[in-house]
Amino acid sequence: MSILQRLLQKHTEKEIVLAFLGDSVTQGCFELYKNEEGKICTVTEPDHAFSQLLLTRLRALYPAVPFQVVNAGISGDRAPHGAKRLARDVLSHRPDLTVVCYGLNDCSAEKGGVEKYVAALEHIFTALKKSGSEVIFMTPNRMNDYVSPALTDPDMREIAAKKAALQNGGYLTKYIENATTLARKMNIPVCDCYARWCEMHESGTDTTAQLSNLINHPTREGHALFAKELMRTLSAPDPKETKI
């Protein structure tokens, strides 16, 4: 039985609450710009985030089912902070499913932050399972691997250079590898979007150009890819129940 089948069986009349815990990508952040005071700001469009795109898919397939979304994404967030605010921002809504996505900001700590990252995810996964929520760990997109000439602002180019060093230095990959190992050890389904992005990169796609801010925020089309992969994960049979 798939996660989606369990959700539909569990609630025939009550609303099905889908929660999403993560960073700026989960929140629905896209382009960057500088305001009149010179502060870097973000175009935030939660309605175009992957959580809403998934909700649109589910409502189209099951128009009689009352699905609801709780978007608990916060720009700049990391897994340890997500663990601290889990009860307030997620568990208080009594979610039936929680999608967790961290790594883009966590990897800025390089080698020194892996243990804290994994420990925070373990806390999050454990608390969610204890609450009765279904859990999916969704891996993020790739970050930029070069500084795009389209970025002309010096501050944004500096940010892009730092993120490219993390991507090319293998730090994000290392964090994701550790996170997916933990998730599978805890029997948490993994929606491996990072693997899809890496496949695109290896096949010759300029994945940096697929980022709306040319740094770490996927385009609106990229969010559609997340929604598609999440739908696939939701619909996949439980491997423990698959007969050989």
Side-chain angles (χ1 to χ4, degrees), residues 144-154 156-161 164 206-215:
N144 62 304
D145 49 65
Y146 66 90
V147 179
S148 172
L151 289 174
T152 57
D153 181 85
M156 293 187 190
R157 289 183 63 83
E158 181 179 354
I159 295 172
D206 183 353
T207 49
T208 296
Q210 307 305 310
L211 302 169
S212 61
N213 63 355
L214 301 172
I215 298 173

Side-chain angles (χ1 to χ4, degrees), residues 78-99:
R78 302 187 184 198
H81 184 243
K84 290 180 180 179
R85 64 187 181 88
L86 179 68
R88 181 194 69 193
D89 294 349
V90 176
L91 296 181
S92 63
H93 297 279
R94 301 178 66 184
D96 299 289
L97 166 70
T98 306
V99 177

Side-chain angles (χ1 to χ4, degrees), residues 23-52:
D23 51 33
S24 57
V25 176
T26 298
Q27 183 181 1
C29 295
F30 294 94
E31 295 81 10
L32 296 177
Y33 66 95
K34 274 192 171 180
N35 63 15
E36 294 179 354
E37 288 76 35
K39 180 182 177 181
I40 296 177
C41 301
T42 306
V43 174
T44 305
E45 297 178 356
D47 287 346
H48 292 101
F50 61 82
S51 57
Q52 287 296 322

Side-chain angles (χ1 to χ4, degrees), residues 11-228:
H11 293 288
T12 54
E13 296 181 359
K14 289 178 58 181
E15 68 178 15
I16 298 177
V17 180
L18 312 176
F20 298 82
L21 179 67
D23 51 33
S24 57
V25 176
T26 298
Q27 183 181 1
C29 295
F30 294 94
E31 295 81 10
L32 296 177
Y33 66 95
K34 274 192 171 180
N35 63 15
E36 294 179 354
E37 288 76 35
K39 180 182 177 181
I40 296 177
C41 301
T42 306
V43 174
T44 305
E45 297 178 356
D47 287 346
H48 292 101
F50 61 82
S51 57
Q52 287 296 322
L53 299 182
L54 177 64
L55 180 63
T56 298
R57 284 172 174 256
L58 289 170
R59 285 178 171 171
L61 290 169
Y62 307 97
V65 179
F67 289 102
Q68 298 295 332
V69 158
V70 173
N71 187 334
I74 293 180
S75 180
D77 206 29
R78 302 187 184 198
H81 184 243
K84 290 180 180 179
R85 64 187 181 88
L86 179 68
R88 181 194 69 193
D89 294 349
V90 176
L91 296 181
S92 63
H93 297 279
R94 301 178 66 184
D96 299 289
L97 166 70
T98 306
V99 177
V100 180
C101 184
Y102 281 109
L104 291 176
N105 297 317
D106 296 88
C107 73
S108 295
E110 301 184 357
K111 293 180 181 179
V114 175
E115 289 187 8
K116 289 182 179 179
Y117 171 66
V118 172
L121 287 178
E122 184 173 11
H123 173 87
I124 291 169
F125 295 157
T126 300
L128 286 170
K129 291 180 73 173
K130 185 177 180 180
S131 76
S133 175
E134 297 273 358
V135 188
I136 292 175
F137 175 62
M138 189 181 83
T139 60
N141 50 278
R142 282 175 58 92
M143 298 188 290
N144 62 304
D145 49 65
Y146 66 90
V147 179
S148 172
L151 289 174
T152 57
D153 181 85
D155 293 332
M156 293 187 190
R157 289 183 63 83
E158 181 179 354
I159 295 172
K162 290 179 179 178
K163 295 297 185 181
L166 292 169
Q167 182 66 64
N168 296 331
Y171 292 107
L172 179 56
T173 299
K174 186 68 173 178
Y175 274 68
I176 299 309
E177 287 175 348
N178 278 269
T180 54
T181 296
L182 170 69
R184 290 177 175 130
K185 181 181 178 182
M186 296 181 67
N187 294 316
I188 302 293
V190 176
C191 179
D192 202 352
C193 294
Y194 187 70
R196 303 288 84 75
W197 279 74
C198 288
E199 287 169 3
M200 290 191 294
H201 178 73
E202 290 163 6
S203 69
T205 299
D206 183 353
T207 49
T208 296
Q210 307 305 310
L211 302 169
S212 61
N213 63 355
L214 301 172
I215 298 173
N216 59 358
H217 296 163
T219 60
R220 292 153 186 81
E221 291 77 14
H223 277 260
L225 172 62
F226 284 148
K228 177 181 178 181

